[in-house]
Amino acid sequence: MPVGTKGAMRGVLSKSLEEEIDCDIMLSNTYHLFLKPGEEMLKQAGGLHKFMNWNRNVLTDSGGFQIVSLGALNTLDEEGVTFQSHLDPSQVFKLTPERSMEIQNAIGSDIMMQLDDVVPATVGEERVREAMHRSVRWLDRCILAHKNSEKQNLFAIIQGGTDLEMRRECCEEMVKRNTPGYAIGGMAGGEDKEDYWKTVARCCELLPEDKPRYVMGIGYAEDCMISALLGADMFDCVFATRTARFGTAFTKYGMIKMKKEKDAEKFGPLSEGCTCYACQNFSWAYISSLFRRNSSAIQLLSIHNIHFLIHMLRDLREAVVEGRTESFAVEFFKNYFRDEKEGV
């Protein structure tokens, strides 16, 4: 899922997401939408879909991630988290599980995330355990407060750091609540890759196969690919568009920077075989030249990078259905990490 934190992505319009990328779902953030444009504005507009003219699905994060990302501006207790606005320090508000549900009901997102107690996977065991148990308790409060369960799907979030036993305990408790889907939270926070893989694998083993399994905050192509091979279905990250703003393209042969002078005269597409709007209409040389003098290049790179990740995973899904998962994965990694690509 591409990320439009405040209901929009830098350099990519809703129309481009729908018509040029064929993106089915995007992510926005409850905390940021609450501050601006504000809950009342979204209610008057008839929800986020109408406000941003987006006819497909929206998933909203609950505001839990800001417990970590804006740690200096909040205090946490069993009731919820009290924030000092990063936009206006005089504005202080409390986000509770009930309030998060109320705001997300007003946003009208198709998938709502529970408010969870988010901690990086690298913090101490005692704090991880506290966050895990609190997240279970907060899910119960979210379920009771959710007012539109027929149209909006509430996902639970599994916590427990890289402790596989805590993850097991949390999965078992969350599955008892029988939510429409489950997220694996608290990852991509500085843990070792091997711990990451083991944690994702363990959670996917324990979560229902017939419901979506969503690894939060993952945007590297290789991480998405391996996580999907382990059983995950959904991912989100700002990485595709953020790295585009710095002139990096996702390609069949890895991530490659526009700044590499040796590529400035490449007259093929950004990525071999790519069917995105940028690759079908412009050469690497043109976009590279544009990047040095015109912001339109960022739009083209953003469209390409989002398209690359979405269609990489669609190709994997097709390979799974056709029974050629292993050969597809081997070919992907052989190309993506080939020595001579000289990528990032």
Side-chain angles (χ1 to χ4, degrees):
M1 289 176 285
V3 177
T5 301
K6 303 173 185 177
M9 272 170 279
R10 293 184 188 180
V12 183
L13 298 174
S14 302
K15 184 176 181 181
S16 294
L17 278 178
E18 188 171 339
E19 297 180 3
E20 295 166 5
I21 300 174
D22 191 23
C23 174
D24 291 325
I25 184 169
M26 63 167 288
L27 181 147
S28 291
N29 183 273
T30 299
Y31 167 89
H32 290 284
L33 288 171
F34 169 72
L35 291 179
K36 201 171 185 178
E39 185 178 2
E40 290 307 313
M41 176 74 75
L42 288 168
K43 285 180 179 178
Q44 291 174 29
L48 183 60
H49 293 79
K50 290 182 179 179
F51 190 63
M52 65 177 291
N53 192 26
W54 172 244
N55 300 313
R56 300 192 181 184
N57 297 294
V58 171
L59 180 151
T60 42
D61 193 8
S62 62
F65 179 69
Q66 279 63 47
I67 295 174
V68 174
S69 66
L70 297 175
L73 298 176
N74 70 69
T75 56
L76 181 71
D77 58 32
E78 184 61 28
E79 181 63 19
V81 53
T82 301
F83 285 101
Q84 179 185 47
S85 167
H86 69 288
L87 300 176
D88 177 5
S90 68
Q91 183 181 0
V92 176
F93 63 95
K94 188 146 195 168
L95 188 65
T96 64
E98 294 79 10
R99 191 73 182 97
S100 179
M101 292 297 98
E102 185 179 16
I103 298 168
Q104 291 185 80
N105 283 150
I107 291 170
S109 46
D110 303 277
I111 298 175
M112 305 161 53
M113 304 310 300
Q114 72 154 110
L115 184 64
D116 57 335
D117 185 357
V118 181
V119 292
T122 53
V123 303
E125 179 181 346
E126 184 176 344
R127 178 67 184 99
V128 172
R129 186 172 296 280
E130 176 188 45
M132 184 268 286
H133 285 297
R134 179 174 286 148
S135 294
V136 175
R137 294 193 296 270
W138 281 5
L139 173 61
D140 288 336
R141 291 167 59 186
C142 287
I143 292 170
L144 290 173
H146 183 16
K147 302 300 184 186
N148 192 18
S149 58
E150 290 186 4
K151 293 184 178 180
Q152 293 178 272
N153 299 282
L154 173 61
F155 279 24
I157 303 177
I158 309 300
Q159 292 291 345
T162 56
D163 186 307
L164 300 185
E165 182 59 25
M166 268 196 265
R167 289 283 179 172
R168 180 200 62 76
E169 184 179 349
C170 193
C171 284
E172 290 179 355
E173 287 299 319
M174 295 305 199
V175 169
K176 290 177 184 177
R177 276 70 178 172
N178 194 30
T179 57
Y182 300 90
I184 302 169
M187 305 307 296
E191 70 279 355
D192 291 337
K193 283 291 186 186
E194 185 149 348
D195 288 334
Y196 170 82
W197 308 133
K198 288 178 180 179
T199 303
V200 171
R202 184 62 171 150
C203 291
C204 287
E205 287 171 1
L206 294 165
L207 293 171
E209 291 185 357
D210 61 346
K211 293 186 177 183
R213 294 176 289 202
Y214 161 32
V215 186
M216 306 181 79
I218 303 302
Y220 284 87
E222 63 269 30
D223 290 351
C224 292
M225 180 63 71
I226 292 180
S227 298
L229 291 167
L230 291 171
D233 305 295
M234 298 170 61
F235 316 92
D236 79 277
C237 194
V238 298
F239 188 64
T241 48
R242 179 174 291 169
T243 198
R245 295 197 292 274
F246 290 96
T248 298
F250 296 168
T251 82
K252 179 179 179 180
Y253 302 115
M255 295 187 296
I256 302 178
K257 291 181 178 178
M258 285 277 148
K259 293 178 181 178
K260 291 185 178 290
E261 293 297 331
K262 73 178 187 64
D263 294 318
E265 296 183 3
K266 286 171 59 176
F267 291 97
L270 292 172
S271 183
E272 179 184 320
C274 182
T275 59
C276 81
Y277 174 80
C279 287
Q280 292 296 303
N281 291 278
F282 305 101
S283 68
W284 181 288
Y286 174 76
I287 297 173
S288 179
S289 171
L290 203 64
F291 184 75
R292 292 165 171 77
R293 55 187 172 82
N294 192 302
S295 61
S296 297
I298 297 174
Q299 180 180 10
L300 293 172
L301 281 171
S302 296
I303 288 170
H304 166 77
N305 285 351
I306 295 170
H307 183 282
F308 180 89
L309 290 178
I310 288 175
H311 289 267
M312 174 194 79
L313 291 168
R314 286 182 182 169
D315 289 345
L316 172 60
R317 181 170 57 198
E318 184 177 323
V320 171
V321 170
E322 295 175 356
R324 51 184 179 86
T325 307
E326 184 175 346
S327 61
F328 178 88
V330 168
E331 184 69 14
F332 170 82
F333 286 110
K334 185 172 70 175
N335 285 325
Y336 203 74
F337 290 102
R338 73 176 191 177
D339 292 339
E340 64 268 30
K341 74 178 176 65
E342 296 182 14
V344 175

